[in-house]
Amino acid sequence: MPDDWQPTASIATLRERARLLARVRAFFAERDVLEVETPVLGHGGSTDPHLASLSLEASTPGGRERLWLQTSPEFHMKRLLAAGSGPIFQLARSFRDGEVGRRHNLEFTMLEWYRPGFSLSALIDESVALVRELLPEAGPRRLRRYRELFREQLQVDPFTTPLESLRRLAGERGGLDMQDADRDGCLDLLMGLVIEPTLGREGIDVVIDYPASQAALARKHRDPEDGVEVAARFELYVSGLELANGYDELTDAEEQTSRFVEDNRERQRLGHGEVGADVRLLAALEAGMPAGSGVALGLDRLIQLALGKASVAEVMAFATPRC
């Protein structure tokens, strides 16, 4: 019999986790945001080339079908928005293959919420307020532009520096052969190794204006500096940890279809398997999803910081591989 049957978090920690979850729910109740529950399984998965989805075969009324464990509740929640739900939030069980470590687990809790009619700026304010609800000593908020972070810390412009120069710099910093890497691959490595560890060390850092190629499900707009296209999204950092990722949500069904196709094309180029696109999300967008903003926050990481733990496993009842 295995001897690792005990939980990875202490019972005292699990009591504290429950207390913090109650505070999260109270935060949204005070703002009249509806709590919802959506399926863990879906006919569509995340086509994001940088995410590894898990799937299974199931017997359904349609016969044996492939269903995807959701990497976040985003697609189902957007279908609720299109159906007229108004502002909604969810504490969702989410799954991402291969992600196990101090900051990751195969199964985790995503706090995700959507605000029809909210600007990205308004959602940033609310996201900071939610973080301060659990981390009251987090310190001041700073708004940081992605482009300026690269200029300050690496002396390169991520939008205009030649790819060969980025490959050389990424290779030097990462100790890797980056000669076949694309621009986003180089930028992601430099962001993760050099810039991210410095963020949120003296407060709450909110990074905005990411490259347009990293828009995912966000709208795009123009950088006022030179008109280059950038993503209307933000990421929020505390103590070197990325906690949240928010978008001015894309509502155009045709553009979303194109992005799904391009994502799967990139997955094939990278040698990843193709993921079935969520056609019901596309139908919901076609029917009309209200304009607004949404954000996904890694709740286990936030609780880890709030309780002063070294890893997310210490705030989960049974983290991988003890599940």
Side-chain angles (χ1 to χ4, degrees):
M1 299 291 287
D3 59 4
D4 60 350
W5 59 269
Q6 295 192 22
T8 50
S10 70
I11 300 303
T13 295
L14 295 178
R15 292 185 187 279
E16 286 298 298
R17 179 186 177 102
R19 180 183 61 82
L20 294 173
L21 291 178
R23 290 175 64 179
V24 169
R25 287 190 163 100
F27 178 91
F28 289 108
E30 290 168 1
R31 291 161 174 77
D32 198 26
V33 180
L34 176 68
E35 182 172 6
V36 299
E37 293 178 298
T38 59
V40 167
L41 292 173
H43 282 90
S46 174
T47 60
D48 188 323
H50 304 294
L51 293 182
S53 296
L54 290 163
S55 65
L56 54 80
E57 290 286 324
S59 296
T60 75
R64 294 292 294 176
E65 293 188 275
R66 188 181 195 187
L67 298 178
W68 299 89
L69 288 162
Q70 299 300 286
T71 59
S72 94
E74 179 171 6
F75 295 169
H76 287 108
M77 291 182 77
K78 286 183 172 178
R79 287 164 61 184
L80 289 176
L81 292 170
S85 67
I88 52 177
F89 83 98
Q90 182 170 186
L91 300 171
R93 306 305 295 175
S94 302
F95 303 82
R96 297 182 182 181
D97 195 14
E99 297 196 6
V100 178
R102 190 170 64 87
R103 302 179 177 185
H104 302 88
N105 199 64
L106 289 181
E107 179 181 358
F108 59 97
T109 301
M110 183 81 83
L111 168 60
E112 195 151 328
W113 74 98
Y114 291 88
R115 285 293 213 159
F118 259 40
S119 67
L120 197 64
S121 176
L123 188 64
I124 288 172
D125 290 343
E126 187 166 71
S127 301
V128 170
L130 184 279
V131 169
R132 287 208 172 108
E133 188 71 22
L134 272 63
L135 298 175
E137 306 301 324
R141 181 191 78 170
R142 293 190 302 173
L143 205 61
R144 315 296 304 278
R145 293 179 69 233
Y146 182 94
R147 193 175 199 175
E148 290 304 320
L149 287 169
F150 274 81
R151 286 170 170 168
E152 291 169 9
Q153 298 195 36
L154 290 161
Q155 292 75 56
V156 296
D157 187 316
F159 300 153
T160 62
T161 298
L163 178 56
E164 281 306 314
S165 298
L166 286 178
R167 285 172 171 165
R168 184 166 55 253
L169 180 60
E172 291 170 356
R173 291 301 185 113
L176 300 170
D177 181 2
M178 300 293 288
Q179 287 311 301
D180 294 327
D182 60 12
R183 179 173 291 272
D184 279 332
C186 294
L187 295 178
D188 285 348
L189 184 144
L190 292 168
M191 184 72 174
L193 285 181
V194 180
I195 298 174
E196 284 188 352
T198 72
L199 297 175
R201 294 297 179 184
E202 299 177 357
I204 300 172
D205 281 337
V206 180
V207 182
I208 61 171
D209 293 343
Y210 282 75
S213 56
Q214 299 178 25
L217 279 74
R219 295 177 187 267
K220 300 174 184 177
H221 64 91
R222 297 288 177 179
D223 187 324
E225 179 179 323
D226 56 6
V228 67
E229 199 171 41
V230 293
R233 55 172 287 222
F234 72 89
E235 291 191 5
L236 185 152
Y237 291 84
V238 176
S239 299
L241 275 175
E242 178 209 334
L243 293 181
N245 188 1
Y247 300 155
D248 179 356
E249 298 293 347
L250 181 66
T251 59
D252 186 292
E254 186 175 342
E255 173 64 18
Q256 186 60 73
T257 301
S258 297
R259 293 194 193 180
F260 279 157
V261 171
E262 184 56 38
D263 280 351
N264 269 321
R265 189 176 293 131
E266 178 65 8
R267 292 182 69 86
Q268 290 180 330
R269 188 188 72 80
L270 294 171
H272 304 330
E274 186 170 319
V275 173
D278 193 325
V279 295
R280 289 181 176 85
L281 170 65
L282 298 176
L285 296 180
E286 187 67 39
M289 189 182 93
S293 297
V295 59
L297 183 147
L299 193 59
D300 303 300
R301 290 184 180 182
L302 181 55
I303 292 173
Q304 173 195 339
L305 291 177
L307 299 183
K309 302 299 183 180
S311 71
V312 293
E314 294 179 69
V315 299
M316 295 176 170
F318 297 101
T320 309
R322 210 179 290 186
C323 52

